[in-house]
Amino acid sequence: MKHRMSRRNVTDIPFPSLSKYLDRLTRDGLQRRLVAIEAVDGRHIRVSGRDLVDFSSNDYLGLSGHPALRHGALAAMDTWGTGARASRLMSGGLGIHLQLESAVKSLKDSQDALIFGSGYLAAIGIIPALCGRGDCVFMDRLSHASIVDGVLLSKARFFRFHHNDMEHLETLLGRYRGHYRNALIITESLFSMDGDMAPLEDLIYLKYKHDAMLMVDEAHATGIFGRHGEGLVTRKLAADVDIMIGTFGKAFAGYGAFAAITSVLKEFLVNRCRSLIFSTALPPPVVGANLAALELSSRESWHRERLKDSFARFGQLLRQYTGIDINCNSQIIPVIIGGNKEALTIEKNLFEMGFMVKAVRPPTVPPNTARLRISLSSAHTSEDLERLAKGIARSLKDTMGPRPSCLSKDPAA
Ligand code: PMP
């Protein structure tokens, strides 16, 4: 068959269904748009000429822009240049990558560590390296898209257990595990859209009972929880978790990810993990900033302490002003609205009041659970928190009436 170059204008949409699809998204309040942030200054951002207090980023420790991280990036660039020039297995494996892996080993107290281009790349590389046809995966049904994509790529048979429901997981393991060769259980430790935590000790118990491996994604817990910022898989639990993933792009205000693992698993992944083998290594300035962030976070635990005070305080403020009891045990606070359009209206109202708070909608969260995802940072002041709590209370009332019935007490319920 001959292929001819199309004479279409480049602005034409090649398939009519694309525009129909986009129209449908708009109609259902599900369209997504890229936002151009014009300036970033600590906890403030400027969008469309308006200065906003940002409650939507994952810069939980307020380290983005910190002089120590800038200096780390510049020093690494002076020594190693701007790019890694190749994948680590070609000629991109630099000394500074090994330095970062050593720092991760100290943070996690793990036998070894392997760094990745991003958390997404870590998940879509590690899961298919470990599992394939004939194996099975049991994942929490609220697991992040990178985990879902990794599992789909692996071609392993997979089962999704109800969120944090260990009885359901045990039932699935009992029923299906025996039919497959290897089994992998996957969860997040702190859930990115719900701010609640996995029952790690129970997962460890089930992993041993059913002869499975356990992988825990600590993207949002790393830097925040644990005495040294190691995450919710504390040093006491670390030896029982086979793969701990952490990211540098959130609390550490950089980019990239790591897996804290045994040396033999590292060697295995170096030989089998496609997202590591076939992708350029992290650029030196990014690695330099990541190193500086790890160092700073272990030295200055007050960032963590301040953040913890903030989420406890914000829980009280929300109760006081909205009358609802929302899960505020972490820096991620979901205010479940339900409808997509209502969530977008509240997002817009809050923007007008000077806040950037994102309405998170399906498919990022399950249908009918659109929510405001409030993301606290240690850089927020108590005045920021108070103003936001009042703003949410006002906007909820204006949009949904005096007693918004869709607000769940337990967001994970
Ligand atoms: N896991 C979780 C739970 C996440 O929330 C994210 C990012 N939102 C990732 C993994 C992916 O990490 P990265 O942004 O470094 O690709």
Side-chain angles (χ1 to χ4, degrees):
M1 198 172 111
K2 278 194 177 166
H3 293 273
R4 291 226 183 109
M5 288 293 287
S6 158
R7 295 231 175 124
R8 277 196 195 103
N9 189 310
V10 283
T11 55
D12 286 352
I13 293 176
F15 306 104
S17 57
L18 293 187
S19 55
K20 272 198 202 142
Y21 176 82
L22 292 171
D23 289 346
R24 205 172 57 228
L25 286 186
T26 307
R27 196 191 59 215
D28 296 343
L30 288 173
Q31 78 280 23
R32 294 164 186 239
R33 293 211 171 89
L34 293 171
V35 177
I37 294 174
E38 290 139 20
V40 179
D41 179 12
R43 65 195 203 282
H44 291 110
I45 55 174
R46 190 176 319 124
V47 179
S48 308
R50 291 195 67 133
D51 286 322
L52 307 168
V53 183
D54 188 8
F55 282 95
S56 66
S57 93
N58 298 321
D59 182 15
Y60 303 129
L61 298 178
L63 298 185
S64 160
H66 192 288
L69 274 67
R70 286 176 195 263
H71 180 261
L74 290 173
M77 188 162 63
D78 280 347
T79 309
W80 298 99
T82 51
R85 307 165 311 118
S87 75
R88 285 181 79 191
L89 287 164
M90 298 301 280
S91 61
L94 308 175
I96 196 167
H97 293 130
L98 291 178
Q99 236 178 297
L100 184 56
E101 287 176 345
S102 284
V104 170
K105 267 175 16 183
S106 314
L107 173 74
K108 300 294 291 185
D109 202 22
S110 58
Q111 199 181 59
D112 226 320
L114 184 60
I115 55 173
F116 288 84
S118 70
Y120 188 88
L121 285 172
I124 65 159
I126 293 173
I127 301 167
L130 289 173
C131 312
R133 281 204 179 88
D135 299 321
C136 58
V137 176
F138 299 84
M139 61 176 154
D140 189 288
R141 71 177 278 269
L142 295 190
S143 293
H144 187 257
S146 57
I147 295 171
V148 175
D149 292 355
V151 171
L152 291 173
L153 259 182
S154 77
K155 302 195 173 74
R157 177 81 200 273
F158 66 90
F159 305 92
R160 302 198 314 161
F161 55 93
H162 303 324
H163 179 51
N164 278 346
D165 184 340
M166 294 300 101
E167 267 180 42
H168 189 219
L169 172 60
E170 170 123 57
T171 306
L172 292 173
L173 282 164
R175 198 175 295 158
Y176 300 110
R177 196 271 164 261
H179 303 302
Y180 297 91
R181 195 177 40 201
N182 299 314
L184 176 64
I185 301 171
I186 314 180
T187 188
E188 288 174 42
S189 59
L190 174 63
F191 282 83
S192 61
M193 295 296 142
D194 293 271
D196 59 345
M197 294 160 193
L200 292 171
E201 299 202 2
D202 296 343
L203 284 156
I204 290 169
Y205 167 79
L206 288 177
K207 151 207 144 118
Y208 284 120
K209 184 167 173 197
H210 293 272
D211 184 25
M213 289 179 95
L214 177 60
M215 171 168 156
V216 178
D217 180 343
E218 293 248 70
H220 295 272
T222 306
I224 314 295
F225 292 95
R227 217 171 126 223
H228 313 269
E230 67 270 29
L232 287 163
V233 178
T234 53
R235 293 182 175 180
K236 193 171 131 252
L237 300 179
D240 296 314
V241 176
D242 302 276
I243 308 120
M244 283 169 285
I245 306 233
T247 51
F248 295 111
K250 298 177 172 36
F252 294 139
Y255 192 66
F258 62 82
I261 44 182
T262 59
S263 301
V264 67
L265 184 49
K266 176 172 178 174
E267 199 181 331
F268 175 82
L269 290 173
V270 165
N271 284 278
R272 237 185 102 84
C273 179
R274 294 170 68 85
S275 63
L276 176 86
I277 300 170
F278 298 110
S279 190
T280 304
L282 277 173
V286 168
V287 181
N290 293 345
L291 267 169
L294 283 187
E295 202 271 322
L296 189 85
S297 132
S298 76
R299 187 160 38 86
E300 295 188 5
S301 59
W302 64 263
H303 296 278
R304 273 188 285 289
E305 302 313 323
R306 196 179 141 100
L307 182 61
K308 284 174 191 156
D309 288 346
S310 287
F311 53 75
R313 169 98 183 105
F314 192 63
Q316 289 163 3
L317 290 167
L318 277 179
R319 265 189 296 280
Q320 180 182 336
Y321 291 113
T322 65
I324 44 177
D325 208 359
I326 291 175
N327 168 25
C328 289
N329 297 322
S330 77
Q331 76 281 12
I332 300 169
I333 295 160
V335 180
I336 311 281
I337 305 297
N340 304 327
K341 290 189 176 159
E342 288 83 355
L344 283 176
T345 304
I346 299 174
E347 174 187 291
K348 194 157 164 273
N349 292 344
L350 292 171
F351 181 92
E352 298 301 326
M353 293 177 210
F355 302 109
M356 175 64 105
V357 172
K358 288 307 233 182
V360 183
R361 294 155 290 153
T364 307
V365 293
N368 305 317
T369 69
R371 66 198 64 187
L372 306 174
R373 177 187 186 265
I374 296 157
S375 177
L376 298 182
S377 153
S378 61
H380 289 131
T381 63
S382 21
E383 201 204 337
D384 295 333
L385 303 183
E386 177 133 15
R387 283 182 48 235
L388 179 65
K390 282 186 185 163
I392 290 174
R394 179 146 38 102
S395 182
L396 277 175
K397 209 163 146 202
D398 291 349
T399 314
M400 313 186 64
R403 291 220 149 263
S405 58
C406 60
L407 287 163
S408 144
K409 279 200 161 183
D410 174 4

